[in-house]
Amino acid sequence: CEKNIIKDFQEEGRCFECCIKCLGGIPYASLIATILLYAGVALFCGCGHEALSGTVTILQTYFEMARTAGDTLDVFTMIDIFKYVIYGIAAAFFVYGILLMVEGFFTTGAIKDLYGDFKITTCGRCVSAWWQFIMLTYLFMLAWLGVTAFTSLPVYMYFNLWTICRNSTLVEGANLCLDLRQFGIVTIGEEKKVCTVSENFLRMCESTELNMTFHLFIVALAGAGAAVIAMVHYLMVLSANWAYVKDACRMQKYEDIKSKEEQELHDIHSTRSKERLNAYT
């Protein structure tokens, strides 16, 4: 019975050591960056898509705009293009996040060799040698900065509209108007505006579409900012992995050269010993 208890304790100790070793191989920095990236992309794509749909509803219902027949590039066509761009962003960064996570797992095995925990993996060296990941991540970070700046434009527009609705209730007799021509949504020849004295304006301010669309754009802007932070985090992780693995490769080359020199000295010493022994005999 005592032997069984000791055996159970030994097996539990081995399982615990194995779990600790596996947990030590997880790239926590890359994992955090991946979670942040997926959360930011999900917020931007999901909320941005619904906010664009709400914008279409507001333009058609309260500004009395209609889709132009034919292949004319109007605001509704641009919104459809933005939706397709959102689909592409979601798919592309889902794949890119997986690639960066795999790179983190491989390079973690290579970095741990510096402390004697893991053996340097060939895949870790090869993947870390792809400095193109760093350049590509840097370009994606600049792209997300542009997306963040672009997403702030509809937030600014809806903030102005929300402010006009708020001021119309505070100031009696004020005739405030919002003209879409000043935002470039329609051409100069088209007059699409709503004023506080119109029925459409009152209905729009009391509707849930305006408030919901405004807050959806704010959340989409926050998601784009989170994606920028994730890209910066990835840049730090990739740079650190590259430096550590490069140092590990240099150390291994030094150890290989040192072992070869020691082997050569040992061979020379053995040859001389044999010559002396032969001369003596």
Side-chain angles (χ1 to χ4, degrees):
C1 185
E2 292 179 356
K3 292 181 179 180
N4 292 332
I5 294 174
I6 294 173
K7 187 177 180 180
D8 292 339
F9 275 116
Q10 290 177 350
E11 291 180 355
E12 290 178 0
R14 291 173 185 173
C15 292
F16 180 75
E17 292 177 359
C18 182
C19 291
I20 295 298
K21 189 175 181 179
C22 291
L23 290 175
I26 296 176
Y28 292 102
S30 298
L31 181 62
I32 294 172
T34 303
I35 294 174
L36 185 60
L37 175 65
Y38 282 167
V41 172
L43 288 176
F44 172 78
C45 294
C47 296
H49 183 275
E50 293 302 318
L52 290 175
S53 300
T55 301
V56 172
T57 302
I58 291 174
L59 292 177
Q60 291 179 339
T61 304
Y62 305 108
F63 287 90
E64 298 179 352
M65 294 183 62
R67 291 181 178 270
T68 305
D71 298 331
T72 305
L73 186 63
D74 57 357
V75 62
F76 298 105
T77 306
M78 293 296 297
I79 289 176
D80 292 336
I81 293 174
F82 290 151
K83 287 183 178 180
Y84 285 116
V85 171
I86 286 176
Y87 301 149
I89 289 174
F93 279 93
F94 176 77
V95 176
Y96 192 67
I98 293 176
L99 291 177
L100 290 176
M101 193 64 191
V102 170
E103 191 271 346
F105 272 105
F106 279 125
T107 51
T108 298
I111 292 170
K112 289 296 183 179
D113 181 75
L114 294 174
Y115 305 97
D117 292 333
F118 280 82
K119 183 180 179 181
I120 293 180
T121 60
T122 305
C123 293
R125 291 183 185 178
C126 294
V127 176
S128 291
W130 296 346
W131 58 269
Q132 291 88 346
F133 267 116
I134 299 177
M135 296 300 298
L136 190 60
T137 304
Y138 180 74
L139 293 177
F140 280 151
M141 184 198 69
L142 295 180
W144 273 110
L145 283 174
V147 170
T148 303
F150 184 77
T151 310
S152 64
L153 295 178
V155 174
Y156 173 72
M157 294 169 56
Y158 274 96
F159 177 76
N160 286 339
L161 184 56
W162 178 78
T163 304
I164 293 175
C165 290
R166 182 182 178 186
N167 291 337
S168 64
T169 58
L170 296 177
V171 181
E172 295 183 0
N175 187 16
L176 304 176
C177 296
L178 179 67
D179 196 342
L180 297 181
R181 291 178 294 181
Q182 62 184 344
F183 298 107
I185 298 178
V186 296
T187 60
I188 300 298
E190 298 182 66
E191 185 177 354
K192 296 294 182 180
K193 66 179 180 179
V194 290
C195 299
T196 55
V197 295
S198 63
E199 182 181 355
N200 285 340
F201 180 83
L202 297 177
R203 288 172 47 236
M204 180 180 62
C205 292
E206 294 175 355
S207 66
T208 59
E209 289 90 353
L210 178 62
N211 190 40
M212 180 63 68
T213 305
F214 178 41
H215 287 87
L216 284 174
F217 272 121
I218 292 176
V219 177
L221 179 62
V228 172
I229 296 174
M231 289 292 103
V232 175
H233 199 159
Y234 270 130
L235 281 176
M236 294 188 294
V237 171
L238 290 172
S239 300
N241 288 348
W242 170 257
Y244 279 125
V245 174
K246 190 175 181 181
D247 184 55
C249 292
R250 289 178 179 177
M251 184 65 67
Q252 188 178 27
K253 290 180 181 179
Y254 171 75
E255 293 293 337
D256 292 340
I257 295 172
K258 185 178 178 181
S259 62
K260 289 180 181 179
E261 291 179 352
E262 291 177 352
Q263 185 65 33
E264 290 176 357
L265 290 175
H266 178 71
D267 293 340
I268 293 171
H269 181 72
S270 299
T271 303
R272 289 180 179 178
S273 298
K274 290 179 180 180
E275 290 177 353
R276 289 175 183 177
L277 181 59
N278 292 332
Y280 178 76
T281 55

